[in-house]
Every structure is written in C-alpha cells, then in structure tokens.
Amino acid sequence: MKVEPATSPLLALLAGFISELRAAGLPVSLTENLDAMEAIQHIPIEDRDAFKYALAATLVKNHAHWRAFETVFEVYFSLRGAEYDLIDGEWPEGMDLSDFVDGMDGQQRRQGGGGGEAMSAEQLAEMLFQALMRGDDALMRAIARQAVQRYAGMEPGRPVGGTYYLYRTLRNLDLDGVLERLMDQARQDAPGDLTPLEERLERDEFEARVDQLRKEVEAEIRRRLVADRGVEAMAKTLRKPLPEDVDFMHASREEMMALRRAIYPLTRKLAVRLARKRRHGRKGPLDFRNTMRHSLSYGGVPAEPKFRYPRPAKPEIMVVADVSGSVAAFARFTLHLVYAISNQFSKVRSFVFIDGLDEVTSFFEGVDDIGEAVHRVNAEADVVWVDGHSDYGHAFEVFWERYGKDVGPKTTVMILGDARNNYHASQAWILKEIEHRARKVFWLNPEPGAYWDTGDSIVSEYGVHCDGVFEVRNLRQLEGFVENLV
Amino acid sequence: MSFSFADVDSVRKGLSDVQYLADEGIAGVVYLAERLQKPVLVEGPAGTGKTQLAKSVAEATGARLIRLQCYEGLDESKALYEWNYKKQLLRIQAERQGEDPEGEGMWQQIEDDLFSEEFLLTRPLLEAIRAAEPVVLLIDEVDRVEIETEALLLEILSDYQVSIPELGTVAASQIPLVFLTSNNTRELSEALKRRCLFLHIDYPDLDREKEIVLAKVPGVGESLADQVARIVRSVRQIELKKAPSVSETLDWARTLVLLGVEHIDADTAAETVNILLKYRSDIEKALKEFASSDEDFAAPVATS
Ligand SMILES: Nc1ncnc2c1ncn2[C@@H]1O[C@H](COP(=O)(O)OP(=O)(O)OP(=O)(O)O)[C@@H](O)[C@H]1O
Ligand SMILES: [Mg+2]
C-alpha cells in the first residue's frame, strides 16, 4: 500500500484531527491511527460521507464517543467539499425563489429570483415554511445559510461563542411559530379532523424537519467560525466531556438527556457482569470434612471433592439521599443504579430529604420501570420541612428517630449529598450512632474533592463517622462505586 | 486479488438485491472490510440486523457462511478444533489386535498417526481458515464468551491462522470476511477492538425502515409500510424500557397484513401494540402518549 508522504496536506490535517480526538478523551492507538490512514486511501476523496465513516470505523470503537467524534469531524472537515463553499448569499444553481413564494407580483419575482439578499424577511419566512412543508433538504440548507448570513450578526474576530449566534438566528426564525403553522396547514389539508394519533405523527414528522433545519443552521455557524478562527481554536472551544465523564452537577440539558439514555445500557451491563461474577466466584476452598463424608459412598476414596461455598450474607442497603436542586440529578442516577441491581442485596430501602425526610421504598416496589419510579420520587416525596434548603442535621434527626431501630449489623448505609448544610447544626453524633450499629456507612459526594469543607460544606465533620467518603461526580465513578459495593 | 465490490455504492446495491437495506455507514464499512482485510465488529441494539448483515453479505457475494454462535462457556474444543478421541481409541485397539507392536519405533508411528488430519475435528474457526472457497465467518454474540476466551480469537482475527501444537500452524488459503456481533452486555477487550473495524448499527431512519418493511413483508402496500414506519419512529421517541426493534416492526407489519388492515387507526394500534412492545409498563406509556395529544400541544419543540 502506497502511503502519501507526510507532507501531504490531507495527512497533516488527519494528524491534527487524531490528536484532537485524543485530547477529547478518545483512546486512539497507534495501530488505529495507521488503519485510518490506510482506510482513506480506498475512499474517493470527494465522498465526504464515506470519508467520515472510514475514519469512524477505524478510530471510534465505543459508540458513546460518537458525538465527540462527530463534533471534531465537523470542525476539521467542514470546509471540504464543493457544496460547502463559503460564498455569502448565493443560491444554489437553478433554484428559483418564485417557484416557492406565492402571492408575489412580477417585479418581486424577478428580484427574488436573483439572490437571497434581495428577499424581505417575510419572503424568507415564507420560503422556510414551504421548505419545511415539503421536506425539501436542499432548500432547507440554502435557507439555513441565508438565515445565518442575515440574522446571526457574525463578525470576524468577535469573541463570542457559537451558541450566541445560534440563539440570534433561531430567534428570528421563530421555529415554534413555524411548527404551529405547519400543524395548522396539516389540519386544513386533512379530509376530516385529525385523530390524536394522526396529530402526533404529523407533529413528529415536522419536528424532525425543524430539527434538521436547526442542525443546518448550527453547521453553517460552525463553518463560518472555523473559517474565521481556524480549526484548532474551534476544536478546543467545542471540546466537551464524554458522557461517562459528564459532571452530574453541571450537566447541560442536552448532556442530561445523554446521561439518561446512557443509564439503561449501563445498568444492564452492570447486572450481567455481577451475575457472572456471582456464578464464577462460587467455588470456595476445599471442604475437607464434607469431601470425606461423601467419600464413604466411594469406599473411602475422596472421588468427589466438595468445596466450601462462601456464603457472604447479602447486605441490606439503606440509601439516604439529599434531593435538593444541585444534587438532585446525582441522587436520581444513584437510586436508579442501586435499584437496577437490587437483586444483589437482601433488601433496599430508600429515603430522600431536603430539610424534611421521607421514605420512598414503596415507590420502587413491584415496578418494572425504575426510571418512572425515580421520576415519581421527584414529584411526590414529602421532603420539605421549613424552607426547602438542605438541612442534613434535621434530616438525620428524623431518620434516627423513625428508622434508627431498623439499622442493624447487616445494614449498609449510603448517604448521598454534598454535605452543604446551610450552616444548620450538623447533628453529626447521629452518624456516629449509625456507624456503631451498621455494617458499613458510606458517603457519596458529587462535588469535586477540592470543594469539600469550603463554605457551608461539612463533609469531614460527617466523614469521620463513615467507613468511606467518595467523590462521585460522573457515571464512571458511580459505576465503579456500585460495583465494589456488591 | 479480486474484490466482490467495486465501490461503496455497489455494496449497497448488492445487499439490496438480497433484501438487505444498508445505509451509507454500513455499506462503507463492509466495503472497507474487504479492502483492508479486516474483521468488522458490529454492535447495536437488539434486532437491528447485525446478524443478518453477515448472512446477507455471504449471500450477495456467493460466499459460504460459517457461523460460530458464542455462549458462556464456549471453549477451544467447540470454537477451533478437537481431537476425535473415540476414533483414536479405536485405532489403538485395532493396532493391538493386529500384529504385536515391536518396540519403540512402532509406538512412535502410531502416535504420529493419532494426531494427524484423520483424527482432527474441525470447528467453525478452523473450518473458515481451511476452506478453499470464499467464506464469510460470522462470530455471533461475541460478548457472551468470557473475556479470557476472547484471546482464542485474536490470532485468527489478526493473522488469519491457527496454531495447533501437534500439527503446526494452519494458515488461511483465502482471507475470510469476518463479522463479529455484540449486544454490548460487557466491554470487549481493547485487543479485540483494536483489530476490528467498528460498526454501530442503530435503528434505521424512517425511509430505510419503510424500505425494509416493503422488502421483507409480502403483501404489504406502500401506504401501510409508510404508516408502520412512522408510528414506530414516534414510539421510539418515548422513553421506554425496550424500544421496538426492526424484527418487531416486521412482526407488526406482518400481523397487520394478516388482519387485512390498510389504514392504522388508534384502535388497531392499541389492539396490536403488544407485538411491538414487550413490557407492560411500556405498552401503558405508549397508549397514554397516543391516546390524547392535548397536553402535547403546549409542549415546546423538542430540541435535539
Ligand atoms: N437493514 C435490514 N434489511 C433487511 N432486513 C433487516 C435489516 N435490519 C434488520 N432486518 C431484519 O430484522 C430481523 C432482525 O435482524 P437480526 O436478527 O440480524 O438482528 P440482530 O441485530 O442480530 O439482533 P440481536 O441483537 O437480537 O441478535 C431479521 O429478520 C432481519 O432480516
Ligand atoms: Mg443477532
């Protein structure tokens, strides 16, 4: 296989691309690097899709990393290919606006047919509506470019992020309004009334198209930013943590959705792994007495070795979770994970608190959708006592008073929260009592270790009475902790 | 070396001729697999056509399909080869009954014979390597074997050869096209992943799912296929325990054809939804979502 000299611009670009993937956290080995270089030699250079899949197949071996890959790919290769030339305001060949816009007089038609900038805002809006109504991809792309050109207000060297331009462009396009117009049109076009099912299907279809348009707008903004600032700088700006590394406490809405999608496969994987561990770890040391006893039936020959089955009693788990604002997501994911593997424990009980405390065990009993149960906990648990600011001290008091008697030598207590007590009394003595009675007490804190004991955080005051205090900021750490718990 | 596929498009064409609808990504990776002579690790949700891909590639290229179904406890003797000890015993007995073996030399001879071709039972991996004709090797559900057993595969996947201590190294006479599928119930080893091209097959988009229905369900009309694909797409947008797979889409479409349905209204959907969804809670959720869309009117446009 002939490899182009390293001086080739494409290979140089590829080298930069791969080092950015590594910087974003993807584990790309040397072999894979070479594979990618070989793979693209088999792909016609102008076929951008094939090029992308060739790189993905050789460099990305974990689907959770796909989004990160895509972002870097867009940045590095967004300026490639003829259809992505940056020519402001020019319309695709052969596209005549007058075909799309009703109710324009001849004068307007002629003007409109030339270039995008001749259009009024109303005409652009009308075209957008038509394009979405028909699901015309080429036209949608042209409109997205026109809209960015017109509304984003991008200027070279301006130090604002892509989100700002996106916001400005989308605000002017009023996509929510357009969606309602599309739905109205669909209702009018239908022979009779739309049934709820038909409504839903129409809406999902239009939403998919609107989404497509939004992506085109984003892509256009990114292309312009890359042209302005250069590939490396943009890649760095857009770098985001991989899903397993996303901080529970600072996840954006989109990241939160990615996390929620990640939790089901993760729990399934964990359950399979634990079940396997149990089956394999079953054989204990040789049980001499039992072997000899059985040997009697073989005339004294110890033909069938017997093993001692280690029978570690399954622990009973009590989860006590702070569910106030900033740590709520962390509590939800932890509860979800613990319940997903609840067959590993003899019993799981859960309690949630803010400044008041409520047992929520029953929410999880007999349900087969844990996600739903977690959602109910969120909506229905009675956790506010005075003002809805976390009060660990009071919550522990309530716990001790009502449930302290249930803590025993088989109980593992897991406390979830940032230990930010809003300067209330800590009542740390209660933890000390719990520690005496329980098998283990663990504290899981979603804050980075560096912030512990700063401000109103009193982790250490509680921590001295725990068997372990763990930083659990992301799914990776959570999975690790839960696996060790079993 | 001649290739089965001239370019990415002819992969797509070849597969669609045998009723497998591939998208750009699937076709691209299959094309590369042949060019780079590398195995493909196919991952994705259940029932999205991972196993079928290998079968269809075999059919499209006229290659022989050899399949190794993985399970927990799979070992060398079932994956690679085994000595046929019964036959070996018989041989030893036959030897004894014949003329008396005279001295060392004779025994040596017998032993050599015992570990020769004649007594070798080839299992799928070895069979794929030794085949003279073109082969597609499907290693199905590789995530089910223990991580230690994965090591068995590495030699084949990188060098297309098998070492048998008693016989030496058996090298491939043709390079088989290898597909490994995984449901991702556990992380596969880095070593395995490094050797493979990676392909994630997700649920198909609307158009492809419709085409799959049209290709696979006899008697289904264009309009019914379109409705089925649309409803399935909407159902997959709900947060479910288990989203409907392509197999379930196909089962549902077949049922609707059997029932003579031409237009799916809410009642039909409700009566047959148990074919699409398996969990009670999922069914309830879906029915609730589709029964009244009133509350959805107020909902903001979903963001990606
Ligand atoms: N792209 C496709 N074209 C044609 N048929 C398809 C396609 N994808 C899936 N199917 C059909 O869907 C069904 C399920 O496919 P298959 O058994 O290959 O899924 P799978 O991904 O291997 O699932 P599992 O993970 O459960 O093993 C088969 O009947 C297959 O023919
Ligand atoms: Mg399969």
Side-chain angles (χ1 to χ4, degrees):
Chain A
M1 178 58 39
K2 199 176 122 293
V3 174
E4 288 181 53
T7 49
S8 115
L10 181 59
L11 286 188
L13 192 61
L14 192 62
F17 173 71
I18 288 174
S19 77
E20 174 56 32
L21 286 182
R22 291 199 177 113
L26 276 75
V28 180
S29 71
L30 184 62
T31 331
E32 287 160 333
N33 190 339
L34 295 172
D35 286 345
M37 280 160 56
E38 198 190 334
I40 57 171
Q41 323 244 345
H42 294 278
I43 299 289
I45 209 71
E46 63 288 346
D47 188 342
R48 191 164 176 275
D49 277 339
F51 185 72
K52 178 171 167 182
Y53 288 116
L55 291 181
T58 45
L59 299 172
V60 188
K61 310 280 171 89
N62 178 345
H63 184 60
H65 299 164
W66 174 258
R67 269 195 72 89
F69 165 82
E70 245 187 346
T71 306
V72 181
F73 182 87
E74 290 300 325
V75 170
Y76 271 78
F77 301 104
S78 64
L79 296 174
R80 300 178 54 81
E83 75 270 36
Y84 299 106
D85 284 346
L86 280 176
I87 303 168
D88 286 343
E90 191 168 287
W91 285 89
E93 197 76 35
M95 197 173 268
D96 189 349
L97 298 186
S98 57
D99 291 348
F100 300 104
V101 186
D102 299 330
M104 281 198 259
D105 62 26
Q107 172 78 25
Q108 278 174 315
R109 266 171 209 267
R110 243 165 288 124
Q111 281 178 351
E117 63 280 24
M119 266 189 301
S120 69
E122 289 74 31
Q123 286 170 335
L124 186 66
E126 180 58 27
M127 286 194 59
L128 171 64
F129 174 73
Q130 296 291 343
L132 288 169
M133 198 70 212
R134 300 172 190 196
D136 181 334
D137 290 341
L139 186 59
M140 267 156 61
R141 177 174 301 149
I143 290 171
R145 297 174 62 168
Q146 187 53 229
V148 170
Q149 153 87 357
R150 189 181 284 235
Y151 299 126
M154 294 176 83
E155 286 160 29
R158 213 169 146 187
V160 293
T163 338
Y164 170 79
Y165 296 127
L166 182 65
Y167 171 75
R168 284 188 51 146
T169 311
L170 293 183
R171 194 187 51 190
N172 278 285
L173 292 180
D174 181 27
L175 294 179
D176 289 357
V178 175
L179 183 67
E180 287 322 311
R181 252 190 87 194
L182 290 164
M183 285 305 294
D184 285 342
Q185 186 71 48
R187 286 182 202 116
Q188 271 178 35
D189 292 350
D193 279 349
L194 290 180
T195 64
L197 177 64
E198 287 164 340
E199 275 280 340
R200 171 64 182 245
L201 294 179
E202 291 285 354
R203 184 172 288 272
D204 283 349
E205 173 62 29
F206 288 133
E207 277 181 3
R209 291 179 197 173
V210 167
D211 233 39
Q212 179 60 30
L213 179 88
R214 189 183 285 113
K215 287 206 181 97
E216 293 290 355
V217 170
E218 273 179 60
E220 179 63 18
I221 289 171
R222 197 161 44 223
R223 269 194 291 276
R224 286 171 190 248
L225 285 175
V226 170
D228 178 31
R229 299 181 191 175
V231 165
E232 271 102 38
M234 265 315 279
K236 209 164 161 194
T237 321
L238 291 176
R239 207 178 284 162
K240 293 223 184 66
L242 302 175
E244 62 263 40
D245 295 320
V246 166
D247 223 307
F248 293 131
M249 295 184 70
H250 305 290
S252 65
R253 229 187 74 172
E254 195 184 337
E255 285 171 332
M256 208 45 108
M257 274 164 61
L259 279 177
R260 286 202 347 232
R261 273 195 300 271
I263 190 103
Y264 281 100
L266 190 143
T267 52
R268 205 190 49 202
K269 241 190 251 186
L270 192 62
V272 170
R273 206 153 67 218
L274 293 174
R276 231 172 240 175
K277 220 167 161 181
R278 210 173 46 218
R279 254 177 316 201
H280 287 284
R282 212 154 44 188
K283 275 203 177 154
L286 186 73
D287 184 339
F288 186 70
R289 267 186 148 163
N290 197 6
T291 305
M292 290 321 281
R293 205 161 44 238
H294 270 81
S295 75
L296 296 179
S297 53
Y298 297 96
V301 181
E304 197 185 332
K306 292 283 165 188
F307 297 93
R308 225 184 295 252
Y309 286 74
R311 243 185 249 119
K314 286 180 173 182
E316 179 184 320
I317 301 280
M318 281 182 153
V319 183
V320 185
D322 180 357
V323 290
S324 64
S326 56
V327 296
F330 162 66
R332 279 202 302 274
F333 286 117
T334 309
L335 278 171
H336 194 139
L337 216 55
V338 169
Y339 272 102
I341 55 161
S342 58
N343 60 347
Q344 302 285 329
F345 310 114
S346 66
K347 189 170 189 186
V348 179
R349 290 178 71 181
S350 44
F351 308 84
V352 294
F353 67 90
I354 293 181
D355 52 353
L357 176 132
D358 195 11
E359 171 158 16
V360 291
T361 309
S362 65
F363 289 31
F364 293 90
E365 274 163 359
V367 300
D368 64 3
D369 186 346
I370 301 168
E372 187 68 35
V374 171
H375 185 76
R376 274 188 61 208
V377 167
N378 237 22
E380 296 172 29
D382 180 15
V383 288
V384 175
W385 174 51
V386 183
D387 58 357
H389 292 295
S390 290
D391 182 343
Y392 284 70
H394 183 255
F396 289 158
E397 272 174 353
V398 177
F399 179 80
W400 187 241
E401 191 181 296
R402 291 194 212 151
Y403 311 105
K405 59 181 184 328
D406 302 339
V407 178
K410 286 182 192 153
T411 317
T412 296
V413 180
M414 284 168 62
I415 300 168
L416 317 180
D418 55 8
R420 293 202 172 272
N421 201 28
N422 295 298
Y423 306 101
H424 295 295
S426 77
Q427 312 292 20
W429 63 269
I430 296 176
L431 271 197
K432 192 170 169 193
E433 291 293 326
I434 294 178
E435 191 199 14
H436 278 314
R437 284 201 201 167
R439 180 169 165 263
K440 295 272 183 205
V441 179
F442 297 121
W443 191 296
L444 276 56
N445 191 333
E447 274 196 336
Y451 295 150
W452 295 3
D453 297 320
T454 63
D456 59 342
S457 159
I458 48 170
V459 190
S460 298
E461 202 172 320
Y462 291 128
V464 292
H465 304 302
C466 296
D467 296 277
V469 182
F470 301 89
E471 178 194 284
V472 179
R473 294 164 58 188
N474 51 42
L475 279 185
R476 197 197 292 272
Q477 289 176 327
L478 181 57
E479 189 187 358
F481 174 83
V482 171
E483 189 166 5
N484 280 324
L485 185 67
V486 176
Chain B
M1 174 103 212
S2 74
F3 295 105
S4 311
F5 301 111
D7 50 29
V8 176
D9 250 5
S10 54
V11 177
R12 199 132 80 157
K13 175 83 183 36
L15 285 174
S16 109
D17 288 346
V18 295
Q19 272 82 54
Y20 189 91
L21 284 306
D23 62 13
E24 180 84 19
I26 297 174
V29 175
V30 170
Y31 170 76
L32 276 181
E34 192 187 34
R35 295 289 151 146
L36 302 179
Q37 303 191 334
K38 272 183 158 290
V40 183
L41 172 60
V42 193
E43 213 180 72
T48 45
K50 301 183 292 294
T51 304
Q52 187 64 47
L53 175 63
K55 293 184 185 168
S56 298
V57 168
E59 194 182 342
T61 56
R64 175 150 78 104
L65 179 77
I66 296 180
R67 176 173 183 164
L68 173 65
Q69 180 63 48
C70 297
Y71 50 89
E72 210 185 325
L74 175 79
D75 62 13
E76 204 172 25
S77 67
K78 292 289 171 288
L80 271 170
Y81 66 89
E82 192 173 17
W83 292 106
N84 188 341
Y85 75 95
K86 278 194 190 138
K87 213 168 154 194
Q88 287 174 327
L89 278 179
L90 286 174
R91 169 68 197 274
I92 293 171
Q93 272 171 5
E95 208 65 53
R96 282 215 178 125
Q97 281 157 13
E99 66 249 47
D100 267 5
E102 293 158 22
E104 291 286 296
M106 191 64 186
W107 274 114
Q108 184 60 47
Q109 178 60 44
I110 294 173
E111 197 179 325
D112 284 352
D113 286 356
L114 286 177
F115 292 102
S116 65
E117 279 296 322
E118 200 190 336
F119 299 95
L120 190 67
L121 293 173
T122 51
R123 302 299 186 204
L125 295 182
L126 183 57
E127 199 180 334
I129 290 292
R130 304 215 309 180
E133 72 276 32
V135 161
V136 168
L137 171 62
L138 164 61
I139 303 178
D140 211 12
E141 313 199 342
V142 67
D143 52 330
R144 295 224 198 153
V145 302
E146 288 81 11
I147 196 147
E148 301 77 30
T149 317
E150 260 181 37
L152 277 181
L153 303 173
L154 296 180
E155 190 183 13
I156 290 210
L157 295 184
S158 48
D159 305 326
Y160 297 101
Q161 63 175 38
V162 175
S163 310
I164 303 176
E166 299 87 350
L167 283 183
T169 301
V170 183
S173 38
Q174 40 78 43
I175 303 289
L177 204 47
V178 186
F179 292 87
L180 303 99
T181 77
S182 160
N183 282 98
N184 201 16
T185 58
R186 69 169 173 82
E187 260 348 298
L188 299 171
S189 73
E190 292 302 318
L192 183 81
K193 289 199 208 168
R194 261 203 307 277
R195 282 167 172 76
C196 298
L197 299 175
F198 185 78
L199 172 64
H200 181 89
I201 303 191
D202 223 318
Y203 300 115
D205 66 13
L206 185 75
D207 292 334
R208 194 157 69 92
E209 190 143 32
K210 178 176 158 189
E211 284 178 53
I212 296 174
V213 171
L214 282 170
K216 288 270 171 127
V217 180
V220 73
E222 171 87 21
S223 145
L224 184 63
D226 188 63
Q227 293 173 61
V228 165
R230 274 176 204 283
I231 295 178
V232 169
R233 173 176 71 176
S234 291
V235 171
R236 285 200 193 115
Q237 279 174 11
I238 310 171
E239 214 173 293
L240 295 173
K241 254 188 115 166
K242 176 158 185 327
S245 67
V246 178
S247 348
E248 280 143 3
T249 306
L250 291 173
D251 288 344
W252 191 44
R254 285 188 193 107
T255 308
L256 293 170
V257 169
L258 274 179
L259 293 174
V261 173
E262 267 157 31
H263 177 83
I264 310 172
D265 57 24
D267 288 341
T268 321
E271 280 156 22
T272 52
V273 68
N274 60 321
I275 298 174
L276 213 47
L277 298 171
K278 298 302 175 213
Y279 289 96
R280 187 176 43 81
S281 60
D282 283 353
I283 292 176
E284 280 165 11
K285 220 176 197 175
L287 288 179
K288 213 165 83 191
E289 282 268 337
F290 290 113
S292 89
S293 47
D294 286 351
E295 43 195 327
D296 287 347
F297 286 168
V301 181
T303 45
S304 60

